[in-house]
Amino acid sequence: MSDAPEIRLSLGTGLHLRDADLWLDPRSPRPRAFVSHAHADHVARHQQILCSPVTAHLLQARYRIARDRLSIQEFHECRNWEGFLCTLLPAGHIAGSAMLHIVDENSGASLLYTGDYKLRSSRSVERASWKTADTLIMESTFGLPRYVLPTATAIESQLCDFVKESLAEGQTPVLLGYSLGKAQEIAAILAAHDMPFVNTASVAQMTEACRAAGLALPAATLWHDAIPQGHALIAPPQFLRHKDFSRISRPRTAMLTGWALNPSARFRYGVDAAIPLSDHADFPDLLRTAEIVQPRRIITVHGSTRELAASLRARNFVAWSHFGNDQLELFSDFP
Ligand SMILES: [Zn+2]
């Protein structure tokens, strides 16, 4: 093992930067936490929350988090946090999503925590930008080699063809994606292709919250009674089980998710089509991230952590899963 300085981490009950006393996306309330973005699995009522301005807006709008708990920091701005230089970088995942880059002022050791992210550009979110770091903590949602997404152009064509074909056959295209993030990307794609759409209430609410936070998104027209002729409906996945779903005449449903790469996705979700529009990095982009950041060590979190760590080790990176057990001789260095 190298003797180079490292930022000390605890991994047991969540990711904790010990010397900065800062938790990274902790699930339970902590004194001080970095919250990478406003998806529900990343949010808890911490005493002090470091986040981007758009995430701060969404935390207040969606979860009623009090303003005085929020330490808001712009992307690319560098601030000193108890002897650590902290920079938030766009993560390209959903509106406001950030990565945290941190440098120990004394030792010069650096760390990059990705949170959820993607490398490729999208229509509704600022593209991710990067800094090199000694330690990389990266998500591994699509950490298996079979998760290779088609090009953005091919995915958009799939979506547009689905809508056109449904309408041509007198059906109502129902496009299913999470209310925050995926729904806005679907809306931006449809708007770019001049395809009209309406939204369910939860989608409209999130889109308006993103617009109020300063994002350039098409206004969200709310669906009231009938779906207007020639329009698609954007709805959250749980809409399929909602009583309002039965009000739609001749629905044709598509789930928009990276999991559409699994051959059984259509059946698993009970939809007519599954289209692989994702807000996460696919397997090739996960590997590419390590090349970009050039870390001396990598810790994988969320998803196929052990498999991704093994693939990274096969490419000569020092990498292991947050959960351990995959390379015990390295993991023992982390008390
Ligand atoms: Zn997320």
Side-chain angles (χ1 to χ4, degrees):
M1 289 293 291
S2 146
D3 290 331
E6 289 174 343
I7 289 184
R8 294 196 301 157
L9 271 170
S10 290
L11 304 173
T13 52
L15 297 165
H16 183 222
L17 304 180
R18 282 150 59 183
D19 299 317
D21 191 18
L22 184 63
W23 294 82
L24 306 177
D25 283 326
R27 297 293 177 96
S28 49
R30 300 291 182 185
R32 298 200 302 180
F34 167 65
V35 172
S36 62
H37 64 290
H39 273 156
D41 57 339
H42 289 253
V43 176
R45 294 191 181 276
H46 314 296
Q47 283 171 34
Q48 197 183 1
I49 295 172
L50 172 63
C51 63
S52 74
V54 171
T55 296
H57 183 94
L58 296 173
L59 291 178
Q60 292 172 92
R62 193 178 195 191
Y63 304 100
R64 306 283 164 221
I65 302 251
R67 172 67 183 83
D68 62 4
R69 293 181 183 222
L70 301 170
S71 294
I72 303 169
Q73 192 168 326
E74 299 281 349
F75 286 145
H76 308 291
E77 179 194 356
C78 182
R79 277 197 208 161
N80 196 315
W81 177 289
E82 314 253 331
F84 289 84
L85 302 173
C86 290
T87 308
L88 270 54
L89 299 169
H93 173 59
I94 64 162
S97 63
M99 301 185 273
L100 176 67
H101 186 267
I102 184 163
V103 180
D104 183 332
E105 259 194 326
N106 292 318
S107 69
S110 57
L111 177 147
L112 181 72
Y113 167 66
T114 65
D116 291 349
Y117 78 99
K118 74 172 181 300
L119 282 184
R120 53 174 69 191
S121 60
S122 51
R123 292 188 181 270
S124 61
V125 185
E126 190 173 343
R127 191 170 191 167
S129 61
W130 297 91
K131 278 175 178 283
T132 57
D134 303 322
T135 299
L136 170 64
I137 305 176
M138 65 188 296
E139 64 125 324
S140 36
T141 302
F142 293 121
L144 297 178
R146 70 168 179 269
Y147 292 122
V148 181
L149 291 165
T151 63
T153 311
I155 295 167
E156 290 200 5
S157 295
Q158 271 189 54
L159 174 55
C160 293
D161 289 350
F162 175 85
V163 171
K164 278 185 219 154
E165 285 164 17
S166 306
L167 293 172
E169 288 169 27
Q171 296 172 306
T172 304
V174 178
L175 307 172
L176 302 160
Y178 288 117
S179 300
L180 176 57
K182 193 63 63 67
Q184 288 75 43
E185 183 66 13
I186 297 168
I189 294 171
L190 294 182
H193 292 273
D194 293 322
M195 295 182 146
F197 58 93
V198 290
N199 307 270
T200 62
S202 68
V203 168
Q205 227 173 33
M206 272 304 117
T207 301
E208 287 311 317
C210 290
R211 281 163 53 85
L215 271 86
L217 291 167
T221 308
L222 189 60
W223 163 47
H224 286 292
D225 295 321
I227 310 272
Q229 182 110 35
H231 282 58
L233 173 68
I234 304 178
Q238 60 270 29
F239 180 68
L240 287 180
R241 297 186 301 277
H242 194 277
K243 61 179 170 38
D244 284 347
F245 181 60
S246 60
R247 293 171 48 206
I248 306 220
S249 99
R250 303 195 63 208
R252 188 167 170 198
T253 55
M255 185 70 75
L256 285 294
T257 171
W259 300 114
L261 293 171
N262 287 328
S264 61
R266 198 158 69 79
F267 307 103
R268 188 178 152 206
Y269 293 115
V271 289
D272 298 308
I275 299 172
L277 179 69
S278 180
D279 43 23
H280 291 268
D282 67 358
F283 183 74
D285 278 353
L286 290 170
L287 298 182
R288 203 148 68 83
T289 303
E291 306 284 348
I292 295 168
V293 178
Q294 297 171 33
R296 285 204 309 270
R297 61 171 178 164
I298 300 173
I299 299 162
T300 55
V301 296
H302 304 304
S304 303
T305 57
R306 291 191 179 96
E307 295 85 347
L308 178 62
S311 295
L312 289 164
R313 286 197 298 274
R315 287 159 179 81
N316 296 322
F317 289 100
V318 175
W320 66 101
S321 159
H322 172 206
F323 299 109
N325 298 331
D326 51 352
Q327 215 180 2
L328 290 170
E329 73 277 16
L330 290 173
F331 195 68
S332 64
D333 276 353
F334 283 76

